[in-house]
Amino acid sequence: MLSLRFRLIITCITVLICASSYSQTTSTDLQVIEKRNAATLFVSVREQFAFSMIRECTPLLTNAPAYPLSVVSSWYERNFAEIEASKVWLTEYFVSLQKQNPQAARAAQQAFLQENSRSLLEIVRLSFSQKLPDEASCKRVLSQFAPIEMDFSNIGKQPGYSQFAEFSQTLREYKSSANYLVPSTLRFGVTESQLAASQMVASLVAADAAYRARDAASYLAAYQNLALQGDGKAAQTIGISYLNGDLLAKDANQAYSWFYAAFTLADYEGANAMGVMHRDGLIQVGNDRVVAQASFSIASLAARTLDARNRAQSNFNRLDALLTNDEKFAVGCMSLSQLDAIYKKKSSLLIKGTTINHSQRVLRDNLPSSLIGYRSDTPC
């Protein structure tokens, strides 16, 4: 008999994605499409949950570090038929819909991603009770993946759970259809790249719960856990909390150190934030306008999102109007290693992230030619 907790988890993700636009121009019955979408969502969420548990729990199970990977790998192999079919169907569904109705395809993709995210969060909330994972909770949650009765093909065989049998049956029927074809672009297996891309959802849920409860210690512990596993955005979040005094006590030095941690973890919002602190006099090194403008330049050039780029570029443009020609020349001649040395000197090294590539390259080599003051031909 499956646990009541697991039954609740399953119930939370038995939803159907609207496919009416797709059905108008295909011979596939709408009911079949909806059943495949529901089964695919169920499998996708379960797979992401499994990968997330490897990232969350491996550092916590020091006496058995291979346990999470071993359990999830075995589960993956046993359930490969459904996992493969779900990925193939999702690809076919979106590709076909894109050809017939691009707007409907975008809406369907967004709906799937939103429901996938919501369902994954619900599983995690139920599984970890919105607390930061520990050794005991990791062992308990990972035990869900060990017995074969938890596999997709067996869930419906448990008393009271017959309604869930259609998930595995639907996907296996699709896999046996005459037009079933696995695209060469799809990748399978419990690989390093897939694990690296998985989110540590339990820690994020715990952080959110701690924030809402105004529990500063738990909030900091959750985000530190994420940052220590290489999450630059988590380090940035801690820095902002210290800078603004939001839940954590205001502390400019701590904020700067966490922004630097984000920077070393390749989240260049950290550079933008450090630039703001230098510009506003919260951290001082003597040539702070130069350091600030160099920081905005790096943050703008290396931003991963349009919003981040716009923020950094806006800061750059505003400060540009105030700089002297000598200061602009100094910005252009500053190397990445020099900028990093300034950051490092003014911060506590909380996390050892990645090193900067081409650290001796000066900033003006990367700046647009239109920025004449920074791009002087005069040797640095």
Side-chain angles (χ1 to χ4, degrees):
M1 175 74 71
L2 297 179
S3 67
L4 175 60
R5 178 182 293 272
F6 186 62
R7 183 171 182 174
L8 288 171
I9 291 172
I10 294 175
T11 302
C12 286
I13 60 178
T14 55
V15 297
L16 303 178
I17 305 299
C18 176
S20 57
S21 297
Y22 180 90
S23 64
Q24 292 172 1
T25 53
T26 180
S27 59
T28 306
D29 183 75
L30 174 60
Q31 186 177 11
V32 173
I33 294 172
E34 291 179 331
K35 287 176 65 176
R36 289 177 181 175
N37 283 341
T40 294
L41 178 65
F42 174 64
V43 171
S44 174
V45 171
R46 193 77 175 142
E47 180 188 19
Q48 289 180 57
F49 183 46
F51 288 172
S52 180
M53 289 310 93
I54 295 178
R55 287 203 64 196
E56 293 272 12
C57 294
T58 298
L60 299 172
L61 300 176
T62 54
N63 293 328
Y67 177 66
L69 179 59
S70 175
V71 169
V72 171
S73 294
S74 296
W75 171 86
Y76 194 96
E77 291 174 4
R78 297 196 310 269
N79 291 274
F80 183 75
E82 290 87 353
I83 292 172
E84 179 195 89
S86 69
K87 292 181 186 296
V88 173
W89 165 249
L90 197 62
T91 301
E92 178 188 337
Y93 172 60
F94 287 142
V95 168
S96 297
L97 192 54
Q98 176 68 30
K99 290 178 180 178
Q100 299 162 60
N101 190 332
Q103 185 176 359
R106 288 192 294 272
Q109 287 175 318
Q110 184 177 15
F112 184 88
L113 291 172
Q114 288 177 342
E115 190 54 42
N116 189 293
S117 177
R118 187 199 67 80
S119 301
L120 181 59
L121 288 172
E122 190 63 28
I123 285 182
V124 171
R125 290 190 184 102
L126 290 168
S127 298
F128 288 97
S129 302
Q130 302 187 74
K131 296 181 180 179
L132 195 63
D134 57 19
E135 182 177 0
S137 62
C138 277
K139 288 182 177 179
R140 172 174 50 77
V141 173
L142 282 165
S143 68
Q144 296 179 8
F145 295 92
I148 60 173
E149 58 263 32
M150 307 295 271
D151 292 350
F152 298 130
S153 59
N154 295 322
I155 289 174
K157 299 175 184 177
Q158 308 305 314
Y161 291 86
S162 58
Q163 68 268 38
F164 301 123
E166 70 175 40
F167 289 132
S168 177
Q169 181 180 344
T170 294
L171 291 172
R172 286 176 179 266
E173 287 177 355
Y174 168 61
K175 185 171 182 176
S176 64
S177 61
N179 62 342
Y180 183 84
L181 178 66
V182 181
S184 60
T185 54
L186 290 181
R187 297 292 180 268
F188 302 95
V190 186
T191 64
E192 289 187 9
S193 59
Q194 287 177 312
L195 295 178
S198 64
Q199 284 191 310
M200 297 178 65
V201 186
S203 293
L204 287 169
V205 168
D208 179 67
Y211 182 82
R212 286 184 283 106
R214 309 307 291 171
D215 182 349
S218 297
Y219 172 82
L220 180 58
Y223 274 115
Q224 281 181 329
N225 185 53
L226 288 161
L228 288 169
Q229 296 304 313
D231 189 331
K233 186 176 181 180
Q236 180 75 4
T237 299
I238 296 174
I240 292 172
S241 294
Y242 274 122
L243 182 64
N244 296 334
D246 183 12
L247 190 56
L248 302 180
K250 265 194 173 185
D251 189 323
N253 291 327
Q254 281 287 345
Y256 191 86
S257 293
W258 280 106
F259 290 144
Y260 179 62
F263 175 73
T264 67
L265 293 171
D267 187 324
Y268 294 98
E269 286 267 52
N272 186 55
M274 286 186 288
V276 169
M277 295 186 75
H278 282 285
R279 181 198 65 193
D280 294 347
L282 298 174
I283 295 292
Q284 297 180 348
V285 293
N287 58 339
D288 293 285
R289 296 207 305 186
V290 170
V291 174
Q293 193 70 330
S295 300
F296 298 148
S297 169
I298 290 293
S300 175
L301 290 168
R304 295 186 176 183
T305 67
L306 180 59
D307 285 344
R309 178 175 292 107
N310 288 340
R311 281 192 292 272
Q313 190 63 51
S314 177
N315 286 332
F316 183 95
N317 292 340
R318 286 200 299 269
L319 187 53
D320 175 72
L322 303 176
L323 295 183
T324 66
N325 288 333
D326 287 343
E327 286 174 323
K328 292 180 180 180
F329 180 79
V331 171
C333 285
M334 182 172 287
S335 70
L336 297 177
S337 63
Q338 289 172 331
L339 185 59
D340 184 61
I342 293 170
Y343 292 156
K344 191 178 297 183
K345 185 176 180 180
K346 299 300 293 186
S347 67
S348 300
L349 188 59
L350 300 170
I351 295 171
K352 187 177 181 180
T354 57
T355 57
I356 300 176
N357 293 327
H358 309 295
S359 61
Q360 299 308 314
R361 179 178 295 173
V362 294
L363 293 181
R364 70 184 187 184
D365 290 344
N366 298 311
L367 292 173
S369 58
S370 58
L371 295 174
I372 300 173
Y374 303 88
R375 296 278 308 207
S376 170
D377 293 331
T378 303
C380 292

